[in-house]
Every structure is written in C-alpha cells, then in structure tokens.
Amino acid sequence: MTKRVVLIGHPVAHSKTRVGRIDLHHHARSAVAQRGRRLQPVAHFFQRVALADAIAEVRGDEFLGANVTIPHKERVVPMIDKLTEEAQATGAVNTLTREGRRLVGHNTDVPGFVAALDKLVGRQKMPRQAVVLGAGGGARAVVHGLIRASFQRVIVFNRHLHRAEGLVRYFARSAAHMDLKAMPWHESIIESELAKTKVLINATSIGLNSDVSPVPAEVLSGDLLVLDLIYNRTRLLRDAEAAGANALDGEIMLLHQGAAAFALWTGQPAPLEVMSQALSEARAEGVRSAEGEPAGERADAVPETATPAG
C-alpha cells in the first residue's frame, strides 16, 4: 500500500515550493529503495481543506505523516496528541508522524537551522550575539537554536511588535541566562543593534517575491554573518556579500529539516547527497521559500504579494 505524506499550509497549491518538497523526498525514497532497504513508498499531495479537517485526515492509515508550513506551524500545536522536546520548546510544529491514530508533532526546523548556523560560522568561534528578523514558526526554531548554542544576546524585530514580544515571553524560562529582547522595527534601532552584533538572521518573507531587503545595504558591515532562510540569492544576501560579509541562504536548513523528516517517516537514514541534488535541480527551476512569515506592513515598505509556503 502506498503511504502518503501531505503538505499542510496556505497557500501551497500554486507554489513551486511543493515541487521542491516532492523532488526532495521522492528522490530520497528512490535512493533508499535502490539500496535494497525495506521502505513503504511515499506519495505527496497537497491539502487545501481547513486545518482541523486536514489534521483529522492525516490520522488515517493511508498516511505516514505530514509537513506543516506557514501559517500553521503554531496553530497546529493544540491539535496534536504529543509533542517532542523540540516542538514543545519552540511552540511550533513542522512535521507530523503517526502512532496509531495519535499524531506526534516534531520540529525539524531546529536541526536544520543548527546545520545552517554551523555552516555559516565555519571554523570561527561561535558568536554570542544575534539579531533575528521575524517572529513566526521559523524564527522560533532560530531562537531556540541560538539558545542551545549559548548565545548571550538575541534581539528580535518584527513589524508587528506584539508578535516579537510574544515570542520573547514564550522563551522566557529557557532564555533566563541570556538577554533576549523584542524591539520595534525602526531602521535606526536595527542599525544600532547590528553595530553590536555578529549574526543577522532573516526569518521573514521579505525578499521572497520581490527584489527588496528587510534592511538598508548601508547598515551591513563586513564583520557580519548573514543567514536568510529564503533559499534564493536575495537582495539581503547580495548586499551583505557586497559589504564583505559572509552570507548564506536557506538551502542547508531546508535540506537538513527535510532529511530529518524523511528519517522520522521512514525509519531510514536520509540520503543527503541525493536530496541535495534534487534540491539543486528544483532550485534551478525557480523554487524559493522562507521558513518565516510576512513581517507585517508599514507605510514605507514594499508590500509582499504572497505568503510563502516554506
């Protein structure tokens, strides 16, 4: 019997992101099968019904589980029977597995982000200060990863300040040892904080659908390490590179969160090389996404035209 994995998010039906996820897991499944390992085939389809209905459907025997993308990573939490440690710690779920009729919520964005952070930092000493743009499910994985990496000061900016404040309150206990703050999205404040920090992480969708950056090019310095969770060479990354900064897009995060999800669904190690090649091919066809959320609108901002299915 063919087992299914569903992608739950909105909008996903028109998004090239779904092609990237299909290729990622389809090629991984094929590679594992070719090595002679026992594995139930995984098919993908895309759910456009209401969230509660989608969750109820995933409990059926025909499913291995699901991927959950924005805007549902936080909304799905109370609908799940059991949360893993990382899902509980972040308050966000991006992967579902089944235990009979019970659903288990996982957050594979966390190991994905940790892999990306390690790649960004390289052989340097791990920094201790960071600025995070965004306050959605992707940003929660980022903040949790920074806490685990023993960062001492993390400033969260979101155009809707109450969202950033809510994120900070959620992590109050686990971040008790550090300076974790939410600040208003004002250019002068962001510039001031970037002058004090080493790492800048964009967990919003700004730059996904248009050639704009969440921060002005002139506030970026060559001392920065810049990670954009959008897996595309965005304006932010181009500006950072022009300033002499080390810059990385979201491909490694996507690859490793997908590999972790594959292992959860199948019980088999993910073939990273095969998945990486599939992702590169999908990317060449124009796949782009973000693990963040729209940062909100303001009068002088270029409006985002769509929410990414990241």
Side-chain angles (χ1 to χ4, degrees), residues 69-71 73 109 133-140 163 202-206 229-230 253 289-295 307-310:
T69 187
I70 60 171
K73 291 184 180 184
D109 284 339
L133 307 178
R140 284 175 173 251
R163 291 277 290 157
N202 179 36
T204 77
S205 63
I206 298 174
L229 302 196
I230 298 172
M253 180 170 172
S289 187
E291 293 300 330
E293 64 170 11
T307 301

Side-chain angles (χ1 to χ4, degrees), residues 45 114 181 244 281 287:
F45 77 105
V114 170
K181 293 181 179 178
E281 292 171 0
V287 175

Side-chain angles (χ1 to χ4, degrees), residues 278-300:
L279 182 57
S280 295
E281 292 171 0
R283 184 171 178 169
E285 296 176 2
V287 175
R288 301 174 301 161
S289 187
E291 293 300 330
E293 64 170 11
E297 296 178 1
R298 67 179 186 185
D300 59 340

Side-chain angles (χ1 to χ4, degrees), residues 56-140:
E57 191 168 352
V58 173
R59 296 181 185 276
D61 290 339
E62 66 270 32
F63 291 96
L64 286 174
N67 261 155
V68 181
T69 187
I70 60 171
H72 298 319
K73 291 184 180 184
E74 296 163 76
R75 297 173 185 175
V76 77
V77 169
M79 303 178 185
I80 305 307
D81 303 296
K82 177 183 175 182
L83 298 176
T84 62
E85 181 179 349
E86 287 178 339
Q88 184 71 50
T90 58
V93 165
N94 79 323
T95 302
L96 300 177
T97 59
R98 291 179 54 247
E99 292 181 353
R101 301 286 293 183
R102 289 165 54 85
L103 292 179
V104 181
H106 309 259
N107 193 312
T108 67
D109 284 339
V110 175
F113 167 71
V114 170
L117 180 64
D118 288 344
K119 176 69 173 179
L120 180 68
V121 173
R123 297 187 179 185
Q124 302 180 51
K125 183 179 179 180
M126 184 63 70
R128 292 293 177 258
Q129 298 85 30
V131 166
V132 178
L133 307 178
R140 284 175 173 251

Side-chain angles (χ1 to χ4, degrees), residues 7-255:
L7 174 62
I8 301 173
H10 179 77
V12 296
H14 68 278
S15 174
K16 288 185 179 179
T17 305
R18 63 179 185 164
V19 179
R21 290 184 185 271
I22 289 174
D23 287 348
L24 204 63
H25 292 114
H26 172 76
H27 284 80
R29 181 203 73 198
S30 299
V32 170
Q34 288 170 5
R35 289 204 297 264
R37 297 182 179 179
R38 296 177 61 191
L39 175 66
Q40 291 175 309
V42 181
H44 292 70
F45 77 105
F46 301 90
Q47 191 62 274
R48 299 184 67 183
V49 298
L51 178 59
D53 294 336
I55 296 302
E57 191 168 352
V58 173
R59 296 181 185 276
D61 290 339
E62 66 270 32
F63 291 96
L64 286 174
N67 261 155
V68 181
T69 187
I70 60 171
H72 298 319
K73 291 184 180 184
E74 296 163 76
R75 297 173 185 175
V76 77
V77 169
M79 303 178 185
I80 305 307
D81 303 296
K82 177 183 175 182
L83 298 176
T84 62
E85 181 179 349
E86 287 178 339
Q88 184 71 50
T90 58
V93 165
N94 79 323
T95 302
L96 300 177
T97 59
R98 291 179 54 247
E99 292 181 353
R101 301 286 293 183
R102 289 165 54 85
L103 292 179
V104 181
H106 309 259
N107 193 312
T108 67
D109 284 339
V110 175
F113 167 71
V114 170
L117 180 64
D118 288 344
K119 176 69 173 179
L120 180 68
V121 173
R123 297 187 179 185
Q124 302 180 51
K125 183 179 179 180
M126 184 63 70
R128 292 293 177 258
Q129 298 85 30
V131 166
V132 178
L133 307 178
R140 284 175 173 251
V142 166
V143 170
H144 180 61
L146 295 174
I147 293 171
R148 280 181 35 179
S150 300
F151 274 60
Q152 295 300 308
R153 178 178 171 83
V154 175
I155 306 301
V156 180
F157 290 93
N158 198 66
R159 296 240 171 99
H160 299 302
L161 179 59
H162 71 278
R163 291 277 290 157
E165 291 172 335
L167 182 151
V168 169
R169 284 194 299 271
Y170 187 88
F171 286 101
R173 181 174 297 180
S174 59
H177 67 285
M178 63 188 290
D179 186 13
L180 176 62
K181 293 181 179 178
M183 290 190 176
W185 189 297
H186 293 307
E187 184 177 311
S188 60
I189 301 176
I190 294 175
E191 181 177 5
S192 175
E193 289 302 322
L194 286 178
K196 306 171 189 175
T197 196
K198 180 70 174 177
V199 177
L200 169 63
I201 300 164
N202 179 36
T204 77
S205 63
I206 298 174
L208 174 67
N209 294 306
S210 54
D211 193 30
V212 295
S213 173
V215 298
E218 55 268 23
V219 307
L220 302 173
S221 72
D223 295 328
L224 280 172
L225 302 171
V226 180
L227 173 63
D228 197 328
L229 302 196
I230 298 172
Y231 42 101
N232 192 41
R233 192 166 180 267
T234 61
R235 169 65 67 85
L236 172 62
L237 296 181
R238 300 198 310 273
D239 288 346
E241 290 169 350
N246 287 341
L248 186 69
D249 67 27
E251 181 171 340
I252 289 177
M253 180 170 172
L254 175 69
L255 174 64

